């Protein structure tokens, strides 16, 4: 790898500093010196038993920080209540925040991070950096422990396919456990389509025709989280894969030098750009937050929004009872698409981690083991209208419309499910650089060709930066 520019080096240092992985002096010149904080000692282990397979110290405090976003934090509090019942002498400290990075930066700097973190949201800490800097605990003991409900079955054997592998970075042990299981795609209202006497478009020509029909009725075709434009990738990435095959996304994940120049990427961006050029995007969308865009959508101002399955819970306060919430895989481009109809992005979400310097890592893993039991899994699904990574947990539940649609979409996709890893391997690149380039294009400030050039340059910069740990599809 060739050396990076001063600018990219500063960016890397800033990324690490924001995560508490380096100390930054209060002066204009940044210095990448490692934090000298060592943190407190870990608590003594408890005695292992059939009821306590991880050897949790029942007297030790447990410190938990949960991202308070679309899923809220009540599900975690409920699991903590189960933990308290099992370990009545343990003090459980619970905090919920939308500002994960801001809240936890000083704690990582001081070497006193929590025992368990739901590392999600706009201020998600960069998982690739955390793994690369040895800041996370190996969760293999949790995965190899007996499951909460069946002592003859390991935790790893109760997870949905691919979930454990998602927490493994480039052959490393599993450092991340994704608790939710999200379906990403194009979300819409069946009632809104019914009013237009329309079905969900199967081809891009159909999509454009429906958007034109809606425009005549004063309804926009699309809106999206303009202030968080990486949301566009929730439908764009599987669209790219459908057009050109899985290898298109693998090349993007691998930071390959021509990944963004692939014809399938070009075709997908040009298709979305056509939405903008023809006035099918809701006016003002580039200035909307994810909540504002979702509210405009549930109010019927736009037909479609790229999003994930958390949207049902997050937007429930503004969703009419007769909305008919649905999710669909991206429309096809044309008859030459490499992957079939129904190709979908579905993967683990809500990444939970146990910091390497946690005082009570066994307690953090035990709480996760509890959450991956059937009772806690059903409780999560019942509360927030989303699946968990526990393979099951819906039996006997009455699922709301959006989640029912998501399950149907998974069934339709079958094996044609994609999971772009740039979202986990290079969080800042995905959210800030890729998202930023897509946002500029959809705002009409740059063309698809210019977006490709800009995003590929960011990709090359990351690929050639030897201070960034790189990951590859095996």
């Amino acid at each position: 790898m060739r050396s990076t520019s001063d600018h990219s080096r500063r960016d890397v240092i800033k990324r690490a500093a924001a995560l508490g992985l380096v100390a930054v002096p209060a002066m204009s010149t940044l210095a990448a010196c490692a934090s000298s904080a060592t943190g407190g000692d870990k608590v003594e282990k408890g005695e292992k038993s059939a009821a306590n397979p991880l050897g949790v110290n029942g007297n030790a405090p447990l410190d938990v920080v949960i991202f308070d976003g679309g899923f809220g934090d009540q599900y975690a509090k409920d699991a903590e209540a189960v933990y308290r019942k099992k370990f009545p002498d343990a003090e459980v400290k619970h905090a919920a925040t939308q500002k994960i990075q801001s809240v936890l930066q000083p704690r990582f700097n001081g070497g006193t991070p929590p025992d368990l973190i739901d590392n999600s949201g706009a201020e998600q800490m960069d998982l690739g950096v955390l793994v690369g800097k040895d800041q996370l605990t190996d969760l293999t003991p949790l995965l190899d422990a007996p499951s909460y409900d069946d002592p003859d079955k390991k935790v790893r054997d109760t997870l949905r396919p691919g979930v454990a592998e998602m927490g493994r970075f480039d052959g490393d042990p599993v450092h991340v456990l994704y608790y939710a299981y999200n379906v990403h795609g194009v979300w819409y209202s069946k009632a809104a389509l019914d009013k237009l006497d329309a079905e969900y478009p199967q081809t891009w020509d159909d999509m454009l025709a429906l958007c034109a029909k809606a425009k005549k009725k004063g309804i926009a075709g699309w809106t999206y989280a303009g202030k968080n434009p990486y949301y566009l990738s929730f439908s764009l990435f599987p669209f790219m894969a459908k057009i050109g095959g899985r290898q298109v996304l693998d090349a993007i994940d691998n930071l390959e030098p021509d990944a963004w120049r692939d014809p399938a990427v070009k075709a997908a961006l040009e298709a979305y750009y056509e939405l903008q050029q023809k006035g099918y995007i809701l006016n003002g969308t580039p200035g909307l937050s994810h909540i504002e865009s979702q509210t405009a959508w549930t109010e019927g101002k736009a037909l479609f929004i790229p999003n994930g399955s958390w949207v049902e819970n997050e937007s429930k306060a503004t969703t009419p009872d007769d909305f008919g919430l649905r999710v669909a895989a991206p429309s096809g481009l044309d008859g030459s698409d490499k992957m079939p109809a129904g190709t979908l992005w579905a993967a683990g979400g809500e990444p939970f981690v146990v910091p390497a310097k946690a005082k009570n890592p066994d307690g953090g893993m035990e709480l996760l083991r509890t959450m991956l039991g059937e009772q806690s899994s059903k409780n999560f699904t019942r509360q927030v209208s989303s699946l968990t990574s526990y393979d099951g947990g819906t039996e006997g539940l009455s699922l709301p419309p959006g989640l029912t649609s998501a399950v149907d979409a998974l069934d339709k996709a079958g094996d044609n499910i994609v999971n772009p890893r740039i979202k986990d391997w290079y969080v800042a690149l995905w959210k800030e650089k890729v998202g930023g380039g897509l946002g500029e294009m959809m705002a009409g400030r740059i063309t698809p060709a210019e977006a490709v050039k800009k995003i590929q340059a960011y990709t090359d910069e990351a690929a050639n930066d030897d201070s960034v740990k790189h990951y590859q599809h095996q």
Side-chain angles (χ1 to χ4, degrees):
M1 297 276 184
R2 61 177 181 272
S3 62
T4 60
S5 66
D6 289 341
H7 178 267
S8 63
R9 177 69 63 185
R10 286 196 297 270
D11 285 345
V12 170
I13 295 171
K14 287 176 182 177
R15 277 176 74 197
L19 298 175
L21 304 180
V22 298
V24 181
M27 57 183 73
S28 58
T29 302
L30 300 175
C33 54
S35 172
S36 60
T38 57
D41 294 332
K42 295 187 185 301
V43 300
E44 292 184 6
K45 289 185 71 70
E47 185 176 344
K48 289 187 177 183
S49 66
N52 185 16
L54 291 169
V56 175
N57 182 335
N59 297 312
L62 181 67
D63 191 349
V64 182
V65 177
I66 300 294
F67 170 65
D68 188 10
F71 297 140
D73 68 328
Q74 186 59 47
Y75 71 93
K77 290 180 178 179
D78 292 344
E80 289 161 13
V82 177
Y83 183 96
R84 283 192 185 95
K85 186 175 181 180
K86 185 172 184 178
F87 304 107
D89 294 328
E91 176 190 356
V92 180
K93 180 181 178 182
H94 175 100
T97 180
Q98 292 190 359
K99 298 184 177 296
I100 291 292
Q101 182 174 302
S102 299
V103 169
L104 294 181
Q105 174 184 336
R107 298 193 62 180
F108 271 87
N109 276 336
T112 58
D115 301 312
L116 183 64
I117 302 168
D118 173 16
N119 176 35
S120 191
E123 283 202 28
Q124 177 186 34
M125 295 179 289
D126 195 314
L127 290 165
V129 172
L130 289 173
V131 172
K133 296 291 184 179
D134 297 323
Q135 295 289 308
L136 301 181
T137 297
D138 177 5
L139 299 181
T140 300
L142 164 65
L143 295 172
D144 287 341
S147 68
Y148 200 81
D149 302 302
D150 184 353
D152 295 327
K153 186 180 291 187
K154 294 181 179 179
V155 169
R156 68 169 69 248
D157 297 327
T158 68
L159 302 178
R160 295 182 186 276
V163 170
E165 288 72 17
M166 278 188 68
R168 184 177 293 114
F169 286 62
D170 197 23
D172 290 339
V174 174
H175 287 105
V176 184
L177 195 291
Y178 294 83
Y179 185 62
Y181 193 77
N182 294 324
V183 174
H184 306 92
V186 182
W187 292 77
Y188 66 97
S189 160
K190 185 177 185 301
L193 264 57
D194 286 347
K195 288 178 182 177
L196 293 170
D197 193 27
E199 300 288 338
Y200 180 78
Q202 296 303 305
T203 69
W204 200 249
D205 283 343
D206 293 340
M207 173 62 75
L208 295 175
L210 179 54
C211 288
K213 187 176 184 179
K215 186 177 182 181
K216 290 179 181 178
K217 301 286 188 179
I219 304 168
W222 286 63
T223 189
Y224 59 89
K227 290 183 178 179
N228 307 100
Y230 62 87
Y231 271 58
L232 287 160
S233 65
F234 293 141
S235 58
L236 250 177
F237 278 177
F239 188 35
M240 293 172 184
K242 188 176 189 311
I243 296 169
R246 296 178 188 274
Q247 68 274 10
V248 174
L249 299 184
D250 288 350
I252 289 174
D253 293 342
N254 290 341
L255 307 182
E256 293 182 10
D258 290 315
W260 285 87
R261 299 187 184 96
D262 190 285
V265 174
K266 180 175 180 288
L269 295 189
E270 288 177 346
Y272 271 52
Y273 188 63
E274 195 169 1
L275 294 173
Q276 194 279 333
Q277 291 290 288
K278 291 188 173 180
Y280 298 155
I281 304 294
L282 179 67
N283 287 339
T285 287
L288 298 180
S289 68
H290 69 291
I291 295 296
E292 291 168 337
S293 64
Q294 289 164 191
T295 300
W297 167 66
T298 57
E299 290 176 346
K301 296 176 182 177
L303 295 180
F304 303 112
I305 189 168
N307 220 306
S309 46
W310 58 86
V311 72
E312 183 161 29
N313 190 60
E314 199 167 53
S315 62
K316 65 182 179 182
T318 62
T319 303
D321 291 340
D322 62 349
F323 193 71
L325 185 63
R326 299 287 189 276
V327 63
S331 307
L333 184 66
D334 54 39
S336 66
D337 289 352
K338 298 290 179 63
M339 295 187 73
T343 295
L344 193 68
W345 179 1
E350 298 303 303
F352 276 76
V353 296
V354 176
K357 292 182 179 179
K359 291 184 177 180
N360 187 7
D362 298 324
M365 286 190 281
E366 176 63 19
L367 181 56
L368 267 178
R369 192 175 80 95
T370 303
M371 291 168 61
L372 287 166
E374 184 174 3
Q375 175 186 334
S376 291
S377 180
K378 283 187 173 181
N379 186 53
F380 178 87
T381 298
R382 188 183 297 110
Q383 286 185 14
V384 305
S385 304
S386 180
L387 301 172
T388 72
S389 290
Y390 173 77
D391 195 2
T394 60
E395 296 83 358
L397 296 182
S398 178
L399 303 181
L403 185 54
T404 298
S405 175
V407 172
D408 290 344
L410 286 171
D411 289 342
K412 182 177 181 180
D415 293 334
N416 298 303
I417 290 176
V418 297
N419 179 17
R421 298 310 307 276
I422 185 175
K423 174 179 178 289
D424 315 296
W425 291 349
Y426 309 105
V427 174
L429 174 64
W430 171 59
K431 286 190 172 181
E432 299 166 17
K433 305 300 187 180
V434 173
L438 295 177
E440 286 187 75
M441 183 190 77
M442 293 304 289
R445 291 191 288 268
I446 60 176
T447 65
E450 290 167 333
V452 164
K453 183 177 180 180
K454 180 175 290 228
I455 295 173
Q456 187 62 58
Y458 291 139
T459 298
D460 294 342
E461 183 177 309
N464 294 323
D465 190 336
D466 58 9
S467 71
V468 173
K469 183 171 176 62
H470 298 100
Y471 305 97
Q472 295 279 315
H473 284 282
Q474 300 300 304

